[in-house]
């Protein structure tokens, strides 16, 4: 699981610009996810061979200074609780403000690495002005210009230096699948787990302080053996349209990154809304297996066409990744709950399958021969060899003489042909074109 870097600070100090700089400076493993807090809350980056997740806490509450202080303080506390390294961003143009002092006062008490970052330092005069920020009592600071990237390299070197070392995995330790249950509040996540284990063991809310470890459940009934991970619900803030609550995103990022398959619970009485879609893309961008459960199906008025109509509506919103299992469940009547687990296990196996290179070439080269990549600028593209990469998730590489001329539509064609012949239902796959 990746380390998490949280960017905190008051509004308008350049956090989002800096966030975009981090995920775009190097070739991002996963692009920022659309639909999550100003479209820029969560992304992945890599520096010197070490990957990490980046959270932009944002300044998103409009109101009095008291409201600002309350919301920023809450975000800093949550970031400290979940992140491995905190980047405290301040603005050299405005100098130290009372809100900066409040955030710094709190950060001086934490035990996790806190790095003070002075933004908008794009000339020598401003570099001298940055000395003022020693008064925040956080010691060493780094100067950057988020707009043009100046100073970012030195900062990232420091970030890599203070990141905790990854936990070593005992090769002899038994590895079992991890399925996380995610979705909005009241979609039936905890009820789903309680119904499976046969007791009301977990009451999960959005209250800060609920930890991932306390809501892990090893499930060994009915011939299954895996960990179920319950998560706090993801919901919109009451007065901010299409914004995900910061706390819920932090929890779900941790749970999704630490899982193999994501079981997305959808409230059938509300339908598949924008928030459900954002959760789906969070899992897809992390290349996790996905199963969608339309829960509370017993509460919906329906006829013989209802399931097909809802499935079509959901798949329309999931394009182009539509090869995803969708089941209609009820935790109250326990309808299709065991079936949901069977499908999740199947998706896990799909994600782990490996295709022999000879078999892959035998099939795919015939497909390519029948449907050659379209010529571009008078150039004819030839693909002579392909293989599955030895990676934890399904990735395939096709070697061509002119890979730069192979466009996305043909990559999607190759992906669809792979899915037609091999079962990768519920699993995102990557197709790369490389020079032979």
């Amino acid at each position: 699981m990746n380390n998490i870097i949280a960017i905190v600070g008051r509004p308008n100090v350049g956090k989002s610009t800096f966030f975009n700089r981090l995920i775009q400076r190097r070739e991002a493993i996963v692009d920022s996810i659309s639909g999550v807090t100003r479209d820029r809350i969560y992304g992945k980056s890599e520096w010197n061979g070490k990957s990490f997740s980046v959270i932009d806490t944002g300044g998103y509450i409009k109101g009095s200074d008291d409201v600002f202080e309350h919301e920023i303080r809450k975000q800093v506390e949550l970031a400290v609780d979940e992140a491995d390294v905190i980047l405290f961003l301040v603005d050299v143009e405005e100098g130290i403000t009372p809100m900066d002092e409040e955030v710094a006062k709190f950060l001086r008490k934490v035990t996790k690495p806190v790095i003070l970052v002075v933004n908008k330092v794009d000339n020598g005069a401003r570099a001298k002005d940055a000395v003022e920020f020693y008064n925040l009592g956080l010691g060493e600071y780094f100067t950057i210009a988020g707009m043009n990237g100046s100073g970012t390299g030195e900062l990232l070197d420091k970030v890599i230096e203070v990141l905790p070392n990854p936990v070593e995995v005992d090769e002899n330790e038994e590895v079992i699948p991890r399925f996380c249950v995610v979705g909005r509040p009241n979609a039936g996540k905890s009820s789903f787990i309680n119904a499976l284990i046969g007791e009301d063991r977990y009451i999960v809310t959005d209250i800060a302080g609920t930890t991932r470890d306390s809501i892990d459940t090893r499930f060994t009934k009915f011939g299954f053996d895996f960990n179920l991970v319950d998560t706090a619900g993801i919901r919109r803030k009451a007065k901010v349209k299409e914004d995900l609550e910061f706390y819920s995103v932090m929890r779900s990022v941790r749970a999704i990154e630490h899982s193999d398959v994501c079981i997305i619970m959808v409230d059938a009485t509300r339908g598949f809304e924008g928030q459900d879609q954002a959760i789906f893309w969070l899992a897809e961008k992390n290349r996790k297996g996905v199963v969608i459960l339309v829960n509370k199906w017993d509460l919906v008025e329906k006829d013989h066409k209802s399931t097909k109509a809802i499935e079509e509506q959901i798949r329309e919103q999931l394009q182009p990744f539509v090869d995803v299992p969708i089941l209609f469940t009820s935790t109250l009547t326990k309808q299709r709950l065991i079936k949901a687990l069977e499908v999740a296990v199947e998706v896990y196996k799909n994600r782990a399958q490996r295709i022999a290179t000879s078999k892959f070439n035998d099939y795919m080269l015939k497909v390519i021969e029948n449907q050659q990549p379209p010529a571009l600028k008078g150039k004819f593209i030839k693909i002579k060899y392909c293989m599955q990469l030895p990676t934890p998730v399904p990735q395939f590489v096709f070697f061509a003489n002119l890979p730069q001329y192979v466009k996305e539509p043909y990559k999607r064609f190759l992906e669809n042909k792979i899915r037609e012949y091999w079962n990768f239902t519920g699993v995102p796959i990557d197709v790369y074109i490389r020079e032979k």
Side-chain angles (χ1 to χ4, degrees):
M1 183 173 63
N2 286 330
N3 290 305
I4 289 182
I5 311 299
I7 306 171
V8 303
R10 59 182 174 81
N12 303 318
V13 294
K15 294 187 300 297
S16 294
T17 301
F18 177 53
F19 171 83
N20 286 336
R21 174 65 56 180
L22 287 183
I23 66 170
Q24 294 174 2
R25 183 174 179 85
R26 306 283 288 202
E27 184 178 354
I29 299 173
V30 179
D31 293 333
S32 58
I33 293 173
S34 177
V36 188
T37 308
R38 297 194 317 264
D39 298 333
R40 291 186 301 273
I41 183 69
Y42 169 75
K44 283 190 175 181
S45 187
E46 182 181 357
W47 187 256
N48 288 344
K50 203 166 188 178
S51 62
F52 50 88
S53 299
V54 187
I55 300 288
D56 175 14
T57 61
Y60 54 77
I61 300 294
K62 294 183 179 179
S64 68
D65 288 343
D66 288 340
V67 173
F68 267 124
E69 291 175 8
H70 171 72
E71 292 298 326
I72 295 298
R73 179 63 172 262
K74 182 173 70 173
Q75 286 203 9
V76 172
E77 290 173 349
L78 293 171
V80 168
D81 183 44
E82 288 295 317
D84 300 292
V85 176
I86 314 296
L87 301 183
F88 175 26
L89 213 64
V90 292
D91 183 351
V92 72
E93 290 183 349
E94 297 189 27
I96 297 176
T97 68
M99 192 175 295
D100 290 329
E101 292 175 340
E102 283 296 313
V103 177
K105 182 180 178 181
F106 174 75
L107 292 177
R108 286 197 296 269
K109 301 176 183 178
V110 306
T111 57
K112 294 182 179 180
V114 177
I115 301 175
L116 178 61
V117 183
V118 184
N119 193 23
K120 305 180 185 178
V121 180
D122 52 10
N123 57 54
R126 288 186 173 181
K128 292 179 180 178
D129 293 340
V131 175
E132 169 191 4
F133 290 94
Y134 272 123
N135 294 325
L136 291 176
L138 293 172
E140 179 186 20
Y141 64 82
F142 288 79
T143 60
I144 67 163
M147 191 65 70
N148 61 31
S150 174
T152 308
E154 292 80 0
L155 172 60
L156 289 177
D157 287 341
K158 180 64 175 179
V159 169
I160 297 302
E161 179 185 326
V162 300
L163 279 176
N165 294 322
V167 178
E168 294 186 3
V169 179
D170 185 353
E171 295 182 358
N172 297 321
E173 183 180 353
E174 181 184 10
V175 178
I176 63 172
R178 292 180 63 86
F179 300 161
C180 75
V181 185
V182 293
R184 294 172 305 191
N186 304 317
K189 301 182 302 299
S190 295
S191 299
F192 173 69
I193 293 180
N194 288 337
L196 290 173
I197 65 178
E199 57 182 287
D200 295 333
R201 183 179 300 178
Y202 298 115
I203 301 174
V204 182
T205 71
D206 288 334
I207 298 172
T210 305
T211 62
R212 186 190 68 244
D213 291 338
S214 67
I215 47 178
D216 280 17
T217 303
R218 184 156 182 175
F219 187 83
T220 56
K221 294 184 177 181
F222 311 112
F224 297 111
D225 188 6
F226 51 79
N227 272 335
L228 272 174
V229 185
D230 196 2
T231 62
I234 298 180
R235 64 180 174 87
R236 292 185 297 192
K237 291 190 315 220
K239 297 181 181 179
V240 183
K241 185 178 180 181
E242 297 301 329
D243 241 8
L244 292 185
E245 186 180 55
F246 174 72
Y247 163 75
S248 298
V249 173
M250 293 285 277
R251 292 296 185 202
S252 295
V253 167
R254 280 292 195 193
I256 288 173
E257 286 193 343
H258 202 50
S259 68
D260 300 299
V261 176
C262 298
I263 300 174
I264 302 176
M265 303 289 290
V266 178
D267 187 339
T269 62
R270 297 181 59 177
F272 192 79
E273 298 181 332
Q275 296 305 100
D276 301 303
Q277 193 174 3
I279 298 166
F280 170 83
W281 289 117
L282 189 66
E284 191 273 344
K285 290 291 184 182
N286 276 277
R287 320 318 276 166
K288 305 300 183 180
V290 177
V291 178
I292 296 176
L293 303 186
V294 182
N295 193 35
K296 304 183 183 179
W297 192 235
D298 55 310
L299 302 180
V300 177
E301 292 185 11
K302 49 191 174 290
D303 56 31
H304 64 286
K305 298 180 179 179
S306 297
T307 55
K308 184 177 180 180
I310 293 176
E311 266 198 53
E312 290 177 352
Q313 179 245 332
I314 292 175
R315 295 191 193 283
E316 179 70 23
Q317 296 182 66
L318 300 184
Q319 290 187 0
F321 181 27
V322 296
D323 190 12
V324 178
I326 301 172
L327 284 79
F328 296 81
T329 63
S330 168
T331 56
L332 185 63
T333 64
K334 299 187 178 181
Q335 182 183 22
R336 299 188 188 93
L337 298 191
I338 300 302
K339 178 64 175 178
L341 296 185
E342 292 174 348
V343 171
V345 171
E346 181 182 354
V347 169
Y348 173 79
K349 292 178 179 178
N350 294 345
R351 186 171 179 261
Q353 72 175 307
R354 297 292 177 264
I355 303 170
T357 300
S358 58
K359 292 182 180 180
F360 192 63
N361 275 270
D362 288 344
Y363 175 73
M364 291 305 300
L365 292 183
K366 290 179 182 178
V367 168
I368 294 168
E369 184 178 352
N370 294 330
Q371 183 74 48
Q372 296 279 352
L376 190 66
K377 299 180 180 180
K379 306 288 187 179
F380 291 91
I381 303 156
K382 299 295 182 182
I383 298 175
K384 297 295 186 181
Y385 183 72
C386 52
M387 62 180 292
Q388 182 177 4
L389 295 173
T391 52
V393 298
Q395 295 181 325
F396 301 90
V397 61
F398 293 79
F399 294 94
N401 59 332
L402 298 167
Q404 67 272 26
Y405 291 136
V406 181
K407 303 303 179 183
E408 284 303 318
Y410 194 76
K411 290 182 183 179
R412 287 197 295 272
F413 165 76
L414 294 175
E415 177 182 340
N416 290 337
K417 288 300 180 179
I418 292 171
R419 291 185 183 278
E420 283 180 14
Y421 197 77
W422 290 282
N423 185 7
F424 284 102
T425 297
V427 183
I429 65 178
D430 296 312
V431 172
Y432 301 104
I433 312 295
R434 297 287 183 262
E435 189 170 1
K436 64 180 180 180

